[in-house]
Amino acid sequence: MNATNDLRILIIDDNPTIHQDFIKILTTPQISNELDKLDLELFDEKEANSIVLPYFKIDTATQGKEGVDRIEQALNEGNPYALAFVDVRMPPGWDGIETIKHIWQIDPNIQIVICTAFSDYSWEETVENLGMTDNLLILKKPFDNVTVRQLACALVKKWQLMQELKHRAEFLEKTVEQRTQSLQESLSLIRSTIESSTDGILIVSNLGKIVDYNASFLSMWNIPESAIQTKEDAILLEYVLDQLQSPEMFMKATNDIYKTDEVSIDTLNFKDGRVFERYSQPHKLNGVSIGRVWSFRDITKRFYLEKKLEHQASHDALTDLPNRILLYDRIKHEISVSNRNKSKFGVLFLDIDRFKLINDSLGHNAGDQLLIEVANRLTTSLRASDTLARLGGDEFVLVISNINQDDHLFTIANKILELFKIPFMLGDRMLNISSSIGIALYPDDGDNPEVLLQNADLAMYRSKAQGMNQFQFYMKDLNEDSLKLLEIESEMRQALIKNEFFLTYQAQHDSFTGKVVATEALIRWNHPQRGVVLPMDFIPQAEISGLIVAIGEWVLKTACKQCKAWQDQGLGPVRIAINVASQQLKQSAFVETIQDALQESGLKPEYLEIEVTENIMLSSPDIVQIISKIRELGVKIALDDFGTGNSSLGYLRKASIDRLKIDKSFVSNIAANTNDEILIKSIIALAHSLNLDVVAEGVETVKQLNFLQHEECNDIQGYYFSKPLTTHDFEELLRANNVITQETINTK
């Protein structure tokens, strides 16, 4: 019998109403999933507690002859009935007794329930007609639902067990016959199998005698024929131990294995760098262990590949420093050590000052090279017990262990600042850069990795706010003591009043036609003393102070008005994208703010795009709801810097987004880093499978463009086509180069 066959029940009764009654009794609604079960438990306790029957395939017949024909047909098709309910009286044809006789002539294994009234056949009469059998039960009318269900479940289960026993018995009988007839062939086959295995196999008795082996074992362990011919395991051990890195550990493990009757698997490291997996199981005869079977597999390539993958999963691809995952583990370890030794350790959060300016002016390749040089320089200044990690971008974290005095952290921080005073050489260019450092101390400033990193990060921003190129310790009144932050906050408030902020626009092109399809609005600050200030130098302070809400609203309204102005000039239906901070999304009236900006400018919602990072998307369920409401307005939603944060496939299915923006850190490694190319391919494929468009940031070379075109990335943005432009220059771009032909792309 096929294991997938239905559990079939046949109802033989001349009354169709009885058919329907049986079907109703033996059929229960199937609970489709866990949510349905929960609904039942919450709202219908009685139904939730009801018995869910197995799925029965129920057929019916109104006369005995018809039922017998169905049973014969089912048996011939290899899908027999397990149970038949047979009414005793079915005029004008056969009665139940006659029908059962014919049924059992065809299928003696089917279970039968006779449905009879008290006035019908007695048990004695039934046995006299049908004989004594355990395949027959009598169900007296009228019968209740529970009884019918119990009978159906029990008899079908019995039938299943009988079928399984039958097939098992047939199988065992056939197996015994085959094994008896081909014992010598089997022994020969076993020997051939052992010999053909690429694994080295050795069988040793409990007396230390070699029972069997194969050629692979000899070649893997370089065992001479003279040694194996002695049949002495002790002689082989001399050759084995001489090749291993830890022979003592090998012998201890081997002796322990012999003391047990269990299967064991361990790994052996060779002096020459090879790695074997050793598998051992008892060699038994009649249930008694008489030795061990040893199998050795060369896993050298797999071992080093796994080590490489583990390293990649826990280390930054650019600098090879520990990443966030490993950093958290290191901090947790330091917490344990500090608690045990009653000591302290420090967390230093380091950020390269004005790093974005380097990327924007020299390109991302130069920025990446600088990060590598910074990592190398910092590494040389640390003790072996300390940790240096890269979180991403230009952020580094140092974990300084075993701090006896706070002055030690002063010394280390000053040493790091001194390291940055030495110019960095990038090719033939000399760069003078600085860094800002924030310091948190365990246990004073936090008792877990998240809090320590957060507080060190806050202290770092204080360093930046107070002029950069310095370090600050975390203080509980950090924001209150930051006079520089207050000064910048005051200047930004005045900038809003005096219209010192302005927008630049970087085009986004269709990767296949070259057409300008959108632009990203990027804020700049025309500071009266400092000149043009990039957002990296004031947006962080705006976020800390809360001014980002007012500045963001100005960007939103200005961008909408400008986009509508271009449309009114006949410069094409270009979509405009703006970046939104988490503080803006947390404003209860932010959706209304967007509606007001669209209404005041006259811009249609589909020409506005809101960009949010994936970390913002994941920061709060409330933000996801706000983004959904924004999208309901018809505004487009783009997920910015995708792949650099705490990526989750689950939220992509649930989030209301239209586009993914591949972070420029991945794009810059095209043609240089296969891992990043694979990641980009995966992001594009994932996005398209979810019906999302993809835009790649930071496209600077034709190789990057060709790769993205080949992978069917929808849109591209970067210096290859255009830097951020003033309003006037972007208008000229729309007029003179609104559509860049493919020929132009290929000749750039």
Side-chain angles (χ1 to χ4, degrees):
M1 173 186 171
N2 191 314
T4 61
N5 283 351
D6 298 320
L7 298 177
R8 304 186 67 184
I9 295 177
L10 180 62
I11 312 299
I12 306 176
D13 195 298
D14 60 336
N15 187 350
T17 302
I18 297 298
H19 297 171
Q20 297 304 315
D21 290 343
F22 270 106
I23 292 172
K24 182 176 180 182
I25 292 170
L26 296 177
T27 305
T28 59
Q30 300 296 309
I31 298 178
S32 61
N33 52 48
E34 293 299 321
L35 290 177
D36 292 339
K37 292 179 181 178
L38 182 59
D39 287 343
L40 290 175
E41 291 174 354
L42 290 173
F43 305 112
D44 193 345
E45 182 178 355
K46 179 179 179 181
E47 183 65 24
N49 293 329
S50 65
I51 297 174
V52 178
L53 296 176
Y55 174 74
F56 296 128
K57 187 176 186 308
I58 301 174
D59 296 321
T60 61
T62 56
Q63 288 296 310
K65 179 65 167 60
E66 180 187 355
V68 171
D69 291 341
R70 281 184 173 273
I71 289 172
E72 184 175 14
Q73 181 182 356
L75 190 64
N76 292 335
E77 292 173 349
N79 193 11
Y81 288 95
L83 172 63
F85 286 90
V86 182
D87 189 20
V88 168
R89 302 189 182 279
M90 295 179 289
W94 298 337
D95 65 3
I97 299 299
E98 187 66 23
T99 299
I100 294 170
K101 290 180 180 179
H102 285 84
I103 289 175
W104 278 343
Q105 290 177 357
I106 297 171
D107 185 357
N109 295 317
I110 190 170
Q111 305 294 304
I112 301 291
V113 176
I114 300 178
C115 303
T116 177
F118 286 101
S119 59
D120 292 327
Y121 292 96
S122 67
W123 172 252
E124 291 76 11
E125 292 172 323
T126 302
V127 171
E128 182 180 352
N129 282 279
L130 298 177
M132 183 65 70
T133 175
D134 60 357
N135 287 3
L136 178 67
L137 286 176
I138 295 178
L139 181 63
K140 291 290 187 177
K141 296 181 180 179
F143 43 80
D144 59 71
N145 297 356
V146 174
T147 301
V148 173
R149 289 173 178 169
Q150 289 177 337
L151 282 175
C153 290
L155 292 177
V156 167
K157 184 62 177 178
K158 174 189 171 187
W159 179 85
Q160 283 183 304
L161 293 174
M162 290 176 61
Q163 294 294 101
E164 291 173 4
L165 288 173
K166 175 184 175 183
H167 289 291
R168 183 62 178 168
E170 292 174 351
F171 172 76
L172 290 175
E173 182 179 347
K174 183 177 180 180
T175 301
V176 170
E177 180 181 352
Q178 290 175 342
R179 290 183 178 179
T180 301
Q181 293 176 352
S182 60
L183 179 58
Q184 292 300 324
E185 294 179 6
S186 298
L187 291 174
S188 175
L189 178 61
I190 291 172
R191 180 61 199 163
S192 298
T193 301
I194 293 175
E195 198 57 52
S196 64
S197 174
T198 57
D199 295 345
I201 298 175
L202 177 69
I203 304 174
V204 181
S205 73
N206 288 338
L207 300 177
K209 298 296 182 179
I210 298 172
V211 177
D212 204 352
Y213 60 91
N214 66 356
S216 295
F217 171 77
L218 300 180
S219 62
M220 291 172 68
W221 286 95
N222 299 314
I223 305 295
E225 190 67 28
S226 58
I228 198 69
Q229 290 299 330
T230 65
K231 301 293 184 180
E232 295 292 338
D233 184 42
I235 295 178
L236 289 189
L237 276 175
E238 296 179 6
Y239 290 92
V240 169
L241 295 175
D242 189 53
Q243 301 178 59
L244 298 176
Q245 289 184 4
S246 304
E248 296 83 4
M249 292 181 59
F250 173 85
M251 283 305 304
K252 183 180 182 304
T254 302
N255 292 333
D256 290 341
I257 291 171
Y258 269 111
K259 294 176 183 178
T260 70
D261 207 25
E262 305 293 331
V263 171
S264 70
I265 301 177
D266 60 356
T267 302
L268 308 178
N269 296 93
F270 284 63
K271 294 177 181 178
D272 61 6
R274 289 182 297 158
V275 181
F276 282 6
E277 181 181 78
R278 177 174 65 165
Y279 172 89
S280 177
Q281 69 177 39
H283 179 207
K284 292 187 176 183
L285 181 63
N286 297 327
V288 178
S289 179
I290 60 174
R292 301 290 298 190
V293 178
W294 304 91
S295 176
F296 303 91
R297 175 170 297 178
D298 190 336
I299 60 167
T300 304
K301 290 183 179 179
R302 189 186 79 188
F303 176 81
Y304 287 109
L305 176 60
E306 289 176 352
K307 285 190 65 175
K308 181 179 179 181
L309 293 175
E310 289 174 2
H311 184 85
Q312 290 176 345
S314 59
H315 287 74
D316 174 54
L318 179 65
T319 63
D320 203 39
L321 294 176
N323 61 14
R324 183 184 296 270
I325 296 173
L326 184 54
L327 173 64
Y328 270 57
D329 287 340
R330 296 280 178 87
I331 294 178
K332 290 176 182 178
H333 173 73
E334 287 298 331
I335 290 174
S336 299
V337 172
S338 297
N339 290 341
R340 185 167 58 252
N341 299 334
K342 306 298 181 182
S343 60
K344 296 182 178 182
F345 70 90
V347 175
L348 282 65
F349 202 114
L350 182 149
D351 187 271
I352 300 174
D353 298 330
R354 297 187 177 89
F355 179 73
K356 187 175 187 301
L357 178 61
I358 296 172
N359 266 344
D360 292 344
S361 57
L362 302 180
H364 294 288
N365 289 336
D368 288 346
Q369 186 59 42
L370 176 61
L371 291 173
I372 294 172
E373 294 297 328
V374 168
N376 292 337
R377 190 173 293 185
L378 290 173
T379 300
T380 60
S381 68
L382 298 179
R383 301 170 300 178
S385 59
D386 300 330
T387 294
L388 172 64
R390 180 187 176 217
L391 293 186
D394 58 335
E395 295 178 339
F396 295 85
V397 172
L398 297 89
V399 181
I400 310 300
S401 62
N402 194 25
I403 301 297
N404 296 321
Q405 296 180 348
D406 293 352
D407 291 347
H408 188 192
L409 290 178
F410 278 93
T411 303
I412 292 175
N414 278 317
K415 182 179 179 181
I416 293 172
L417 294 179
E418 289 296 322
L419 287 175
F420 277 83
K421 291 183 179 180
I422 304 172
F424 288 84
M425 294 300 300
L426 300 182
D428 57 354
R429 185 185 298 272
M430 181 182 296
L431 286 183
N432 291 290
I433 64 171
S434 62
S435 65
S436 298
I437 304 172
I439 304 173
L441 188 66
Y442 178 86
D444 304 36
D445 302 327
D447 59 0
N448 62 69
E450 291 82 1
V451 174
L452 287 168
L453 287 171
Q454 177 184 345
N455 291 339
D457 190 18
L458 287 174
M460 182 272 293
Y461 274 113
R462 184 184 184 192
S463 297
K464 283 189 174 293
Q466 294 190 352
M468 299 179 284
N469 192 27
Q470 59 180 281
F471 64 87
Q472 294 289 334
F473 281 82
Y474 172 76
M475 300 174 61
K476 293 183 179 179
D477 56 351
L478 186 62
N479 293 333
E480 299 174 1
D481 290 345
S482 182
L483 298 178
K484 187 65 178 179
L485 178 61
L486 292 176
E487 180 182 350
I488 294 178
E489 180 182 348
S490 176
E491 290 178 348
M492 287 189 292
R493 292 185 187 277
Q494 290 298 313
L496 280 170
I497 297 173
K498 297 178 180 180
N499 292 321
E500 293 175 359
F501 293 116
F502 66 96
L503 295 181
T504 61
Y505 305 90
Q506 188 171 32
Q508 295 176 1
H509 298 262
D510 184 292
S511 62
F512 299 101
T513 66
K515 182 179 180 181
V516 177
V517 294
T519 181
E520 182 178 1
L522 303 169
I523 191 171
R524 301 288 187 268
W525 182 5
N526 189 14
H527 194 283
Q529 285 81 39
R530 297 160 61 189
V532 176
V533 182
L534 297 175
M536 62 179 289
D537 293 323
F538 66 90
I539 289 299
Q541 290 81 0
E543 291 178 338
I544 294 173
S545 66
L547 269 177
I548 190 65
V549 175
I551 294 174
E553 183 175 349
W554 177 87
V555 171
L556 172 65
K557 292 183 177 181
T558 303
C560 289
K561 290 178 182 178
Q562 185 59 67
C563 187
K564 184 61 169 66
W566 286 331
Q567 292 182 5
D568 292 341
Q569 296 175 43
L571 297 180
V574 174
R575 185 175 63 253
I576 193 162
I578 64 168
N579 293 278
V580 174
S582 60
Q583 291 97 318
Q584 294 175 263
L585 290 166
K586 292 176 182 178
Q587 299 297 309
S588 58
F590 185 63
V591 177
E592 288 75 15
T593 300
I594 293 178
Q595 288 177 311
D596 292 342
L598 293 171
Q599 186 174 359
E600 291 174 10
S601 64
L603 184 68
K604 293 182 179 180
E606 59 264 30
Y607 296 115
L608 174 63
E609 184 173 274
I610 301 296
E611 292 187 4
V612 294
T613 65
E614 55 186 338
N615 285 341
I616 291 177
M617 181 78 78
L618 290 170
S619 63
S620 168
D622 295 335
I623 287 182
V624 175
Q625 294 180 4
I626 293 296
I627 291 174
S628 297
K629 292 180 180 179
I630 294 173
R631 194 164 182 261
E632 290 173 2
L633 299 177
V635 175
K636 304 297 183 183
I637 303 295
L639 195 59
D640 198 11
D641 299 337
F642 184 74
T644 62
N646 300 316
S647 301
S648 168
L649 297 181
Y651 80 87
L652 284 181
R653 294 187 295 103
K654 302 175 183 178
S656 299
I657 58 178
D658 301 284
R659 296 206 299 171
L660 295 183
K661 296 192 73 175
I662 301 175
D663 188 67
K664 55 191 176 185
S665 63
F666 301 122
V667 175
S668 64
N669 284 332
I670 290 174
N673 189 315
T674 304
N675 290 337
D676 282 354
E677 291 182 354
I678 294 173
L679 184 58
I680 291 172
K681 292 179 182 180
S682 300
I683 291 174
I684 294 174
L686 173 63
H688 288 169
S689 70
L690 296 173
N691 295 320
L692 303 178
D693 288 339
V694 184
V695 56
E697 297 181 289
V699 179
E700 297 182 353
T701 68
V702 69
K703 288 185 178 180
Q704 294 168 358
L705 174 62
N706 291 338
F707 175 88
L708 293 167
Q709 286 177 327
H710 181 268
E711 298 304 323
E712 299 184 357
C713 179
N714 301 91
D715 301 326
I716 50 179
Q717 175 182 347
Y719 280 21
Y720 182 78
F721 286 104
S722 172
K723 296 181 179 181
L725 303 175
T726 64
T727 303
H728 175 268
D729 290 341
F730 191 76
E731 288 178 1
E732 293 300 315
L733 173 64
L734 291 178
R735 287 191 178 95
N737 199 24
N738 195 15
V739 176
I740 302 176
T741 65
Q742 192 64 38
E743 294 179 0
T744 304
I745 293 175
N746 292 334
T747 56
K748 287 190 71 134

